[in-house]
Amino acid sequence: MTASHPSPFSAVTRRATLRAAGAGTALLGLGLAGCRSAVSAEDDPVAAGDAKPRRGGTLRIAIGNDFTPALLFAQSAQSLQQGLLFNTLTRYDDRLRPQPELAVSWTYPKDGRSITLKLRQGVTFHDGRPFTADDVIFAVRNLQNPVRAAQLRATAAAITGFEKRGDHELTLKLAHPVANLFDLFEFMIITDRHTVEDAVTGRKLNGTGPFRWVTWSPGTGLDLVRNDRYWRAGRPYLDAVELRVAGQADALVSSLRTGQSQLSFDVPGTSMALVKSTPSLKITDYSTGAGAYYVGVNTTVKPLDDKAVRQAIAWAVDRDRLLAQSLGGYGLASAAPWPRSSPAFTETGRTHYRHDPAKARELLRSAGHRSLKLPLLHSATPGDTSIAEAVQYDLAQVGIDVTLEPTDPATAQKRLISQSMPALWTLSHGFAQVHPSTLAVSAYPFNEAKNTSRFRSGTYTRIVKEAWTTPDDGPAGRARYARITDILLDEAFIIDLVVRGQVQVASERLRGVSLNKFSQARLDDAYLV
C-alpha cells in the first residue's frame, strides 16, 4: 500500500501576492501594529497568471549574500540557488503534505522502522549520468558525514541501512521512528557523488535540477543555463538565470527599480516603502514562517549563565517596534519561534515576553546588576544591521550597553556552527516552519545536544527526543511541543523576536516563482512576459 507520511500539520499556510502600487492597506503584516488583510494569489491577476508561459529570456536575481560552497548542504542565507541546480526526494505542499519529486511514491510499516521509496525513472544529472538509488544512499551518507555543515544530520543518522531493489526502488532502515523524516527528504539535495568535492570548493555543481552550472565568480555571483535534459517535459521556460551580489541595500533596490534585476528576496524592511512606491514591482509575502530573527546568548559567559539576566534581555526588546521599523511590518512579533501554521504555536507562547523595561531592570537588579557591557555580533547586511541597532537601543534603555560587531555572513554562519559566538549575537534561524522536533534536533541555535549557546538540560533533551521519535499530531504530541516551548521561554538561551517568512520583490513581468519550505527557489515554472 502506498501512503504519504503522516503530517502533524492541520493549519493552512498562505502565500499572498501583493502589487506594490496602491497596496498600502492591503499588505500582509501579522504583527501587533495593525490588522491587515491579504490579497490571495487567486484574486491577483498577476499571481494567477494572466498570460501564457513564454519560453526564453534571462532572469537576473539580486542577492545580498554570495554563494558559500562550504555551506552547500546547510540551510543558510545563500540557500536560494539549491532548488535551481538540484532536486530533492519530496516537497511539501501548502498544507505541509509531502508530494513527489525524485521519489514518486513511498510505503512504510506501522512500526515506523523503515520506508520504501520508488524513485523517478528517466532522470539524469547535468553531465548525463542516470540518477539511481545509489545517489540517494550517497545523499544520506553525505549528510551523516561530520565534515559537512548540515543541520538535519541527526535525522540522516537515524537511517541505519539500505536495501536496493534494482536502480529505482530503495528501502531505508531506521533505528527508530522519525517524526521529521519528510523534512529530511525536502532538505536533502541530491548531488552527484562523483564530484561532491568539486561542489564544496565551488569548482562545479552537478545536479538533476532545471538549470546547469556555468560559473561562479566570487563576490559577483553565479551563472546558470537551462538544463535541456530536465525530467520535467517542457521545463524550465527560462534560458538562463544570473544571481548577482548586491551587498548594499541602495544598489540592490536600484537594480530592481531600474529593471537590471527582476527578482530578490533580500530587500531589507527599511527599503520596503520605496519598493511599494514603484509601480513596476510587486511584493509577495511567503507567510509560512520560514525564518525568525532572534538574540542568541552564550550561557558560558558571565553573567549570562544566570537565566534571570537572559530573561531581562527578553523583556527589554520592543518586538513590535522592531517589526514595524526594521522589517517594514512583515512578520509576526513573537517570543516563541513558531509560525501560526505550526502545531506548536500558541498565542500564550507568542506573547510570553512583552516590552517591559521596568521588569527587565528589576530582573537585572535581582541578579545583582544595574548595568552591563556586552558585545553583540550581527551579520553585516543592511537588514541584519537594522535589527542589531534596534536591539542595541532597547538594551541600552535597561542598562545593558552593547557594542555591535558587524561580521560578514559566511563568517557569522561558521561561528554559529563552531559555537564560537561572543556573549550576544543576533541572526535569523529556520526550521520552525516544518515538524516542531526539527528545530530542536537540527537548528544550530536550538540543538538539544550541541547548540551555539552551549546550553544543556537533561529535561530539554528528553522532551525533544520524545517529540522526535514519536510521530503524533494529537493531544500527546501537542503537549510535548508545549513542553519544548516552555523550556525555551524559561531558559531564554535563544530569545526570539519576530517570525518571518520570505518576502519576495519581483518585476511585474515575472511569473511562476515559488519557494520550498527551506527557502530554495523553484523556477521550473517561472517565465518573463
Side-chain angles (χ1 to χ4, degrees), residues 71-85:
L71 300 178
L72 181 64
F73 300 105
Q75 185 187 14
S76 69
Q78 55 94 55
S79 297
L80 186 70
Q81 74 283 334
Q82 259 79 321
L84 310 183
L85 292 156

Side-chain angles (χ1 to χ4, degrees), residues 470-481:
T470 312
D472 182 2
D473 60 350
R478 291 176 184 270
R480 294 185 187 97
Y481 310 151

Side-chain angles (χ1 to χ4, degrees), residues 324-342:
Q325 295 183 4
S326 297
L327 297 176
Y330 289 89
L332 176 68
S334 180
W338 319 110
R340 291 190 186 276
S341 57
S342 172

Side-chain angles (χ1 to χ4, degrees), residues 267-270 291-296 316-333 376-395 402 404-405 425-429 495-500:
V267 176
T270 51
Y293 288 97
Y294 71 96
V295 173
V317 180
D318 188 344
R319 292 167 175 79
D320 295 327
R321 182 178 61 84
L322 185 150
L323 171 63
Q325 295 183 4
S326 297
L327 297 176
Y330 289 89
L332 176 68
L376 176 71
L377 180 146
H378 66 92
S379 182
T381 63
D384 285 4
T385 298
S386 178
I387 297 287
E389 290 173 346
V391 171
Q392 180 188 42
Y393 174 84
D394 287 338
L395 294 186
V402 300
L404 299 186
E405 295 185 355
W425 70 94
T426 179
L427 292 171
S428 60
H429 70 76
I495 300 167
D496 271 281
L497 306 175
V498 175
V499 174
R500 191 191 190 198

Side-chain angles (χ1 to χ4, degrees), residues 253-277:
V253 173
S254 176
S255 75
L256 290 163
R257 297 185 76 205
T258 60
Q260 291 177 306
S261 56
Q262 296 85 36
L263 176 65
S264 183
F265 295 92
D266 292 327
V267 176
T270 51
S271 300
M272 280 298 176
L274 185 57
V275 169
K276 285 183 279 189
S277 70

Side-chain angles (χ1 to χ4, degrees), residues 342-459:
S342 172
F345 175 85
T346 65
E347 189 66 15
T348 301
R350 184 184 79 80
T351 59
H352 180 85
Y353 290 112
R354 300 172 301 281
H355 182 222
D356 193 336
K359 191 174 184 79
R361 285 189 286 267
E362 178 186 343
L363 281 167
L364 285 174
R365 285 195 296 270
S366 71
H369 308 284
R370 289 190 176 273
S371 64
L372 294 171
K373 291 184 179 293
L374 298 168
L376 176 71
L377 180 146
H378 66 92
S379 182
T381 63
D384 285 4
T385 298
S386 178
I387 297 287
E389 290 173 346
V391 171
Q392 180 188 42
Y393 174 84
D394 287 338
L395 294 186
Q397 308 315 301
V398 301
I400 303 176
D401 180 19
V402 300
T403 302
L404 299 186
E405 295 185 355
T407 306
D408 75 86
T411 300
Q413 183 79 359
K414 290 174 182 176
R415 292 190 65 176
L416 185 81
I417 295 169
S418 64
Q419 301 179 343
S420 59
M421 285 296 194
L424 300 175
W425 70 94
T426 179
L427 292 171
S428 60
H429 70 76
F431 298 99
Q433 76 278 20
V434 283
H435 191 279
S437 67
T438 295
L439 182 81
V441 297
S442 298
Y444 295 120
F446 296 88
N447 188 299
E448 53 81 21
K450 187 181 179 183
N451 55 69
T452 312
S453 298
R454 300 178 179 242
F455 170 78
R456 299 292 181 268
S457 163
T459 301

Side-chain angles (χ1 to χ4, degrees), residues 77-126:
Q78 55 94 55
S79 297
L80 186 70
Q81 74 283 334
Q82 259 79 321
L84 310 183
L85 292 156
F86 304 100
N87 292 120
T88 56
L89 288 175
T90 60
R91 56 179 174 79
Y92 284 124
D93 66 11
D94 281 347
R95 294 176 184 264
L96 287 166
R97 297 172 301 195
Q99 304 296 315
E101 192 157 307
L102 292 186
V104 296
S105 64
W106 42 90
T107 59
Y108 52 88
K110 290 183 179 180
D111 65 6
R113 298 294 295 270
S114 67
I115 184 167
T116 298
L117 307 171
K118 289 191 176 179
L119 304 176
R120 191 176 297 278
Q121 300 187 39
V123 177
T124 62
F125 284 87
H126 296 151

Side-chain angles (χ1 to χ4, degrees), residues 148-227:
R148 303 291 184 231
Q151 291 97 332
L152 270 83
R153 179 172 296 114
T155 303
I159 299 172
T160 56
F162 307 92
E163 183 179 316
K164 290 195 300 179
R165 298 184 182 94
D167 284 341
H168 296 95
E169 186 169 339
L170 176 67
T171 297
L172 307 179
K173 303 292 186 179
L174 301 171
H176 51 75
V178 178
N180 66 339
L181 189 60
F182 278 80
D183 293 4
L184 174 68
F185 290 170
E186 178 153 345
F187 173 85
M188 183 176 68
I189 58 173
I190 304 299
T191 189
D192 175 36
R193 62 188 187 273
H194 300 299
T195 58
V196 67
E197 296 307 321
D198 286 336
V200 297
T201 52
R203 292 193 296 269
K204 179 182 180 181
L205 299 180
N206 185 25
T208 63
F211 296 93
R212 292 188 294 106
W213 163 278
V214 176
T215 188
W216 168 48
S217 301
T220 299
L222 294 164
D223 290 317
L224 314 176
V225 296
R226 186 179 190 273
N227 175 16

